[in-house]
Amino acid sequence: MDPEQQEAVTAPRGPVCVLAGAGTGKTRTITRRIAHLVGQGHVAPGQVLAVTFTARAAGELRTRLRALDAHGVQARTFHAAALRQLRYFWPRVVGGQPWQLLDGKLRLVGQAAARARAGTDADALRDLASEIEWAKSSLVAPSQYAAEAARRRRDTPGSADQVAAVYAGYEELKNAAELLDFDDLLLHTAVALEEHAGVADEFRSRYRCFVVDEYQDVTPLQQRLLDAWLGERDDLTVVGDANQTIYTFAGASPRYLLEFPRRFPDATVVRLQRDYRSTPQIVSSANQLISAARNRPAGSRLQLVGQLPPGPDPDFAEHDDEPAEAHAVAGRITRLVAEGTPPSEIAVLFRINAQSEAYEQALTEAGIPYQVRGGERFFDRPEIRRAMIALRSAAPEQRAGEDGPETDLVAITRAVLAARAGLTDEPPAGAAARAAWESLLALVGVAEELAAVEPAADLARLVQELDTRADGSHPPVVQGVTLASLHAAKGLEWDVVFLVGLADGTLPIQHADNDEVAIEEERRLLYVGITRARRVLTMSWSLTRAPGRGRPRRRSRFLHGLVPDSHPASRVAGERRPGAPRPRCRVCGTPLFGSAATKLLRCSDCPSDVDLELLDRLKRWRADTAKQQDVPAYVVLTDATLTAIAEQRPSDPASLVGIPGIGAAKLDRYGDAVLALVSEDG
């Protein structure tokens, strides 16, 4: 461990805040901190409760803690922990049988919407359900909703009063049916601890040490539950990165992380900035992107320092339309796989799920296996259900010695899956069959992982491990390219990442355009995407959605300064229509790349024929004009534009407006003066 990680691991019990940048080893640090506290006898394993936000992340914590011999530590999501506690305390707090958990709220939201005469189509109901979730996560009651929505300038799905009516109706219907939604789990558990001293005493005698991962994403409701868990105690370790706050639309807020040292003045604060995930070139792009963010709080100003050997510079690509972009990415992936990169180490990340279809089609045509993250759950797949039955039935046979003398867990697992689930040595033809084959092979991968940690593990132990992963939604890695939204990619990493569809209107998303706070969250989404890549990163965009249709789009504003002027994809946004030829150097005739070369209409290394006396006159005129208008000189005309004028010596308005940087407005304002300067004898 590096010195900062070591400081976090060995910090004494009490408040600890770890500000951990992307790729700095935060999971390694907090699991080793827990193991250290347990190993040193500071706390018993069963007294530790570690919480995070996804079942996958919780499963990863449990797996690492087992490997560190920290058995018995509870690692769960907020909701899973609350559900367990609420079921235990329900008879004492409420009485009777616990209410059932609501399996999806759209049906009740639809009934409430119909009563309130709100929209009831599928999209309207999803929007209303999301707004109710935001309100409950933000501790906003139905009676408070309209006022809070106005104060926070919410983009509400309908009038605020109507949304409030749907929200109130939903709560009435849910309570009448004695049902709980996921937010109720947190709220009712918090209230039970706040209002019942006996419940609070019993809980707090059981759990004495708390760890919260991804603390930048905590909502007011989750913070209320955490406060109820803590009581007056301060044995709390939090870890997070405000630069990766991407869920404020759902009520999350980084302020709890950033204000932690103020709440706990004696807290140990550790900053992890050494990036062990990505090459220095990728780290540099991430730093450059996030450093341009506006109104960054002091606690979010982590400057990552790459620790890996150098790698290739991030690549950039512009395409005429989205299908062309998808096929280009598929072609590049085909070459990478042929060169030895495992498909599971490649990801294609996009802003919205609707972008997935083009890449699914392109990869299918290329014969490349893929998995869509957020699609069908791994353990619900038919082939995995059959495989689990096969392994479960074979476990007693192995213990009875009926499977022969073979004791190697990996070999036994592969043999059982071959005989009873159809696993072959070579991948079958066809995308669907190949995907099923990859899923079965992933189970063999779990056996390999388990055997490495527990050499004596048998089939029964493997089945137990798979059941634990299924319960915790912690699937194994499947050998296929990952297609995922940027939100779904949070917490993951790959050797090769393609960030696609980076055009204004998609990233940043169009509805964020007039909201500076929303724009900065979109920037953080791209930051998350960049920091998923270990060694190869490609960022691309297309100028139209479909061939020959739609008006040209501009590449994302966030790429300003990231694309080098020397790169073929570099250009002034909107400078060239889709399909139009690039301008060529007027000296050597080669295509021009970069804004400076395009303005000069010559390559940077071709000889300049600038008229130095004319350039001097132009600069003096520009200085006088800027002074009269009280603006910086470059606002009048840039140095590159003046140099281009002094080289090309335009003689009429048509030739002057042909110089990049001279549009219709500047031609009207400055055209006569500039042409007069050009025509002077000197």
Side-chain angles (χ1 to χ4, degrees):
M1 290 186 293
D2 64 38
E4 294 80 17
Q5 292 174 339
Q6 185 71 24
E7 181 185 359
V9 167
T10 59
R13 286 184 63 180
V16 176
C17 179
V18 183
L19 300 173
T24 57
K26 70 176 182 64
T27 305
R28 170 187 172 89
T29 300
I30 59 173
T31 51
R32 287 181 177 270
R33 171 165 175 75
I34 293 170
H36 173 79
L37 291 172
V38 170
Q40 295 296 310
H42 296 304
V43 64
Q47 294 177 323
V48 181
L49 177 59
V51 288
T52 187
F53 289 83
T54 67
R56 188 205 62 80
E60 177 70 15
L61 287 176
R62 289 192 294 270
T63 300
R64 294 204 188 193
L65 287 167
R66 284 201 301 272
L68 293 171
D69 204 26
H71 302 279
V73 172
Q74 294 296 308
R76 300 178 180 274
T77 65
F78 271 97
H79 292 94
L83 176 60
R84 189 169 188 242
Q85 295 158 26
L86 191 60
R87 283 177 173 168
Y88 177 78
F89 289 118
W90 188 277
R92 194 186 321 177
V93 173
V94 181
Q97 291 298 312
W99 291 5
Q100 293 299 305
L101 191 60
L102 182 62
D103 184 19
K105 58 170 60 72
L106 287 186
R107 180 177 61 85
L108 293 184
V109 171
Q111 293 176 19
R115 289 183 183 181
R117 297 185 178 180
T120 56
D121 62 90
D123 289 340
L125 293 183
R126 280 193 290 268
D127 288 343
L128 286 166
S130 296
E131 193 67 5
I132 290 171
E133 289 171 1
W134 168 81
K136 298 186 76 167
S137 295
S138 302
L139 297 174
V140 175
S143 60
Q144 303 167 317
Y145 176 81
E148 280 297 303
R151 186 178 71 83
R152 305 191 194 197
R153 298 180 180 178
R154 293 286 295 177
D155 183 13
T156 60
S159 73
D161 288 336
Q162 192 173 55
V163 174
V166 175
Y167 180 10
Y170 164 77
E171 289 294 309
E172 291 171 6
L173 290 166
K174 177 172 56 65
N175 293 337
E178 297 189 346
L179 295 170
L180 300 172
D181 63 22
F182 280 100
D183 293 313
D184 291 331
L185 297 178
L186 308 186
L187 183 59
H188 286 299
T189 303
V191 170
L193 294 167
E194 291 166 350
E195 298 184 356
H196 298 268
V199 169
D201 290 343
E202 181 177 347
F203 174 84
R204 291 166 188 163
S205 67
R206 167 71 190 277
Y207 293 107
R208 310 227 173 148
C209 178
F210 299 88
V211 178
V212 184
D213 190 17
E214 303 286 5
Y215 194 53
Q216 79 279 350
D217 287 330
V218 76
T219 67
L221 177 54
Q222 289 162 337
Q223 183 62 45
R224 179 174 173 179
L225 177 60
L226 179 59
D227 289 340
W229 284 342
L230 280 170
E232 299 299 320
R233 301 169 298 172
D234 65 356
D235 197 348
L236 172 65
T237 297
V238 301
V239 59
D241 178 10
N243 289 331
Q244 297 186 68
T245 303
I246 57 174
Y247 292 105
T248 59
F249 67 89
S253 172
R255 68 183 177 90
Y256 301 109
L257 172 68
L258 299 174
E259 294 175 0
F260 191 90
R262 188 181 308 167
R263 179 181 177 185
F264 299 103
D266 296 330
T268 300
V269 179
V270 182
R271 299 166 71 91
L272 303 184
Q273 299 182 102
R274 302 176 200 240
D275 186 305
Y276 299 97
R277 174 188 299 158
S278 307
T279 63
Q281 287 79 3
I282 294 172
V283 168
S284 177
S285 290
N287 284 335
Q288 188 172 358
L289 172 71
I290 205 66
S291 66
R294 298 181 179 179
N295 302 318
R296 291 177 73 198
S300 70
R301 294 173 190 162
L302 294 173
Q303 183 79 4
L304 298 177
V305 181
Q307 304 295 303
L308 298 184
D313 289 331
D315 197 14
F316 302 88
E318 178 181 277
H319 304 277
D320 285 343
D321 51 65
E322 289 182 0
E325 184 179 5
H327 281 91
V329 169
R332 177 83 185 280
I333 290 174
T334 300
R335 292 191 294 274
L336 287 166
V337 171
E339 293 165 1
T341 301
S344 61
E345 285 297 344
I346 302 173
V348 180
L349 307 182
F350 32 76
R351 175 61 178 86
I352 56 175
N353 289 321
Q355 294 171 268
S356 176
E357 183 179 1
Y359 294 90
E360 293 179 46
Q361 181 177 342
L363 290 172
T364 298
E365 292 175 3
I368 300 292
Y370 65 86
Q371 57 176 332
V372 182
R373 189 160 190 86
E376 183 183 30
R377 292 188 296 181
F378 178 84
F379 288 101
D380 288 341
R381 298 176 186 175
E383 67 272 14
I384 297 302
R385 288 179 177 273
R386 291 193 296 270
M388 292 289 288
I389 292 172
L391 292 170
R392 190 169 281 111
S393 64
E397 299 171 10
Q398 183 201 8
R399 287 195 168 176
E402 297 175 18
D403 266 2
E406 180 64 70
T407 59
D408 182 271
L409 176 61
V410 177
I412 294 173
T413 302
R414 185 180 284 274
V416 170
L417 295 179
R420 308 186 189 189
L423 178 63
T424 57
D425 290 336
E426 298 297 326
R434 176 66 180 264
W437 184 83
E438 296 285 3
S439 296
L440 294 176
L441 205 62
L443 296 181
V444 178
V446 175
E448 292 173 345
E449 294 175 15
L450 183 61
V453 177
E454 301 179 28
D458 58 8
L459 272 183
R461 177 68 186 88
L462 173 62
V463 170
Q464 181 186 23
E465 173 68 15
L466 291 171
D467 285 341
T468 300
R469 287 181 175 232
D471 290 341
S473 299
H474 183 208
V477 173
V478 176
Q479 283 296 323
V481 174
T482 297
L483 302 179
S485 70
L486 289 166
H487 283 102
K490 179 74 171 62
L492 303 174
E493 58 187 72
W494 297 269
D495 278 351
V496 180
V497 168
F498 292 86
L499 298 176
V500 300
L502 302 183
D504 267 2
T506 304
L507 188 73
I509 200 78
Q510 188 171 6
H511 60 70
D513 215 18
N514 296 319
D515 184 339
E516 184 176 313
V517 174
I519 287 291
E520 290 308 322
E521 178 140 333
E522 295 288 299
R523 182 191 303 276
R524 294 193 294 271
L525 258 182
L526 181 55
Y527 177 81
V528 166
I530 289 174
T531 55
R532 299 310 94 197
R534 297 193 192 104
R535 61 182 182 85
V536 176
L537 173 65
T538 295
M539 291 178 260
S540 63
W541 59 94
S542 54
L543 296 176
T544 60
R545 294 193 183 280
R549 292 170 53 192
R551 60 184 182 182
R553 306 184 289 197
R554 297 186 176 191
R555 72 185 184 204
S556 173
R557 69 195 71 178
F558 300 142
L559 296 179
H560 179 70
L562 295 186
V563 187
D565 274 352
S566 59
H567 195 281
S570 176
R571 65 182 181 87
V572 177
E575 178 181 278
R576 184 172 60 97
R577 295 189 310 276
R582 288 192 179 274
R584 292 181 174 272
C585 175
R586 55 191 170 82
V587 178
C588 69
T590 59
L592 295 172
F593 300 106
S595 57
T598 301
K599 282 189 176 183
L600 294 173
L601 283 179
R602 65 169 173 80
C603 302
S604 59
D605 53 355
C606 280
S608 169
D609 53 355
V610 64
D611 184 329
L612 294 177
E613 292 184 359
L614 173 55
L615 182 59
D616 184 58
R617 293 199 301 274
L618 288 167
K619 287 185 175 181
R620 290 200 306 270
W621 162 81
R622 182 182 63 173
D624 292 340
T625 303
K627 186 176 181 180
Q628 293 169 10
Q629 297 178 1
D630 194 23
V631 296
Y634 69 85
V635 171
V636 178
L637 292 174
T638 65
D639 284 348
T641 299
L642 293 185
T643 302
I645 294 169
E647 287 189 353
Q648 299 172 43
R649 298 183 61 86
S651 59
D652 53 45
S655 56
L656 178 59
V657 82
I659 294 176
I662 304 288
K666 293 199 174 182
L667 180 66
D668 289 343
R669 181 173 297 180
Y670 307 126
D672 290 343
V674 170
L675 291 173
L677 290 168
V678 174
S679 65
E680 289 183 14
D681 291 334

